[in-house]
Structures are given as structure tokens and as C-alpha cells.
Amino acid sequence: MMIRLIYTVFLGLLLALFVGMGIAAFYPAPKAPEYTTLLSEPKVAPVTGTTVSEQESAEQKIARQDYDKQQKEFQEKSKTYNRNVSVIALGFAIIMLIVSLVAMQSIDVIADGILLGGVFNLLYSIIRGFMTDDTRYQFTIVTIGLITAFVLGYFKFIRPQPKH
């Protein structure tokens, strides 16, 4: 009995990793801008040889402004990316949940593993949804998760099973 539980959890985790790694492999995340050394180097005053800590050189100021602009663009791209990943993971979660409840009813241990993988993917989708900073989307994804949990609970634990 314990080995079935371990297998079910293992299968669920592997399915969640499979989806997460698949998304990362075929839909890469936006690249963060690199922090240039120009921004962190202390400038040395040419005449005295002392560092100029309070004043940025014109070159450093331009580099910092460029970096700030790139960072803002990256953050916006990341929000869109996280929303898209959330939608993709949600789609896979729903497919897994349907497969486990409909197509795999006769193989309990595998159906339970797929069900758990779907639940893990649903959780992953919700977490990615929270990374979007869009409260309406966050509410929508949590609502879908809640409805899915109710439907799963009904089909798995309440609905009478057909007699063979």
C-alpha cells in the first residue's frame, strides 16, 4: 500500500516537472538585462586620483538610464510571459485531470498519479498567475482552481462509481 502512495506521488511530481520543463524548453523566458561593470565601477578623478563617489560621469549616467529602461521592459515582458506560462500550465492541468477522471478510471494507481500531476500543474499555474501583477487574472486563475477542486472532489469522492 505504501509503495502505491510513493509511486502516485512520484508520478505526479514527474508529470509536473515534465510540463514545467517542456514549457521552459519550447517557450523560453525573456532574458534579464545585464548589469554592466560601468555602473558599479568607482570613477577616479583625473587630477587628484581620488574617487568621485557622489557624481556620476556622463557615461555612467547614460549607462544607468539605459539599464533602468531595459529593466522596465524586462519586467513588462516577464509579466506577459508569466501569464502565458500560467495559461499553458492550466491547459495541461485540465487535460491531465480529465484524462485521470475519464480515460484512466480502470487503472487506479496511474489515474491517481495523473490526477496528482494535474493538481501540481494547477498549483504551478496559480503561482505563475500571481507573478503577473494583474489582480483580475489572479482572481480568474484562482476561481478556475477552485471550480476544478470542487469538480475533482465530486468526481473522485462523491459521485457514485459505476458497478462493473
Side-chain angles (χ1 to χ4, degrees):
M1 190 63 172
M2 182 63 146
I3 195 77
R4 287 177 60 109
L5 176 64
I6 292 169
Y7 177 76
T8 300
V9 172
F10 181 69
L11 182 59
L13 287 172
L14 278 179
L15 284 169
L17 285 171
F18 177 76
V19 170
M21 298 304 292
I23 292 170
F26 295 103
Y27 182 46
K31 298 282 185 205
E34 291 187 27
Y35 192 79
T36 64
T37 56
L38 182 63
L39 295 173
S40 58
E41 289 177 353
K43 207 66 168 166
V44 177
V47 177
T48 62
T50 61
T51 61
V52 181
S53 59
E54 292 160 4
Q55 296 180 345
E56 285 184 316
S57 70
E59 193 176 338
Q60 283 177 317
K61 191 172 190 173
I62 291 170
R64 186 173 313 281
Q65 289 171 344
D66 185 49
Y67 176 78
D68 290 343
K69 180 182 174 193
Q70 289 177 14
Q71 186 65 25
K72 285 180 185 174
E73 289 172 2
F74 168 73
Q75 288 172 349
E76 287 305 312
K77 287 179 185 176
S78 290
K79 289 176 188 176
T80 302
Y81 175 79
N82 285 322
R83 186 194 67 235
N84 294 345
V85 168
S86 176
V87 169
I88 293 167
L90 178 64
F92 277 105
I94 290 172
I95 289 169
M96 283 184 209
L97 297 172
I98 290 171
V99 166
S100 74
L101 293 173
V102 176
M104 296 294 232
Q105 284 182 333
S106 61
I107 310 171
D108 285 341
V109 70
I110 293 177
D112 288 347
I114 294 171
L115 180 72
L116 190 58
V119 169
F120 287 153
N121 275 300
L122 181 60
L123 182 61
Y124 176 63
S125 174
I126 290 170
I127 290 169
R128 282 296 195 151
F130 280 127
M131 298 168 84
T132 63
D133 288 343
D134 180 353
T135 55
R136 287 185 181 171
Y137 180 77
Q138 292 168 355
F139 176 76
T140 302
I141 201 78
V142 168
T143 302
I144 292 170
L146 182 62
I147 291 168
T148 303
F150 281 132
V151 170
L152 277 177
Y154 174 76
F155 279 103
K156 192 69 178 170
F157 303 113
I158 298 171
R159 184 185 74 170
Q161 297 297 322
K163 295 181 181 175
H164 298 291

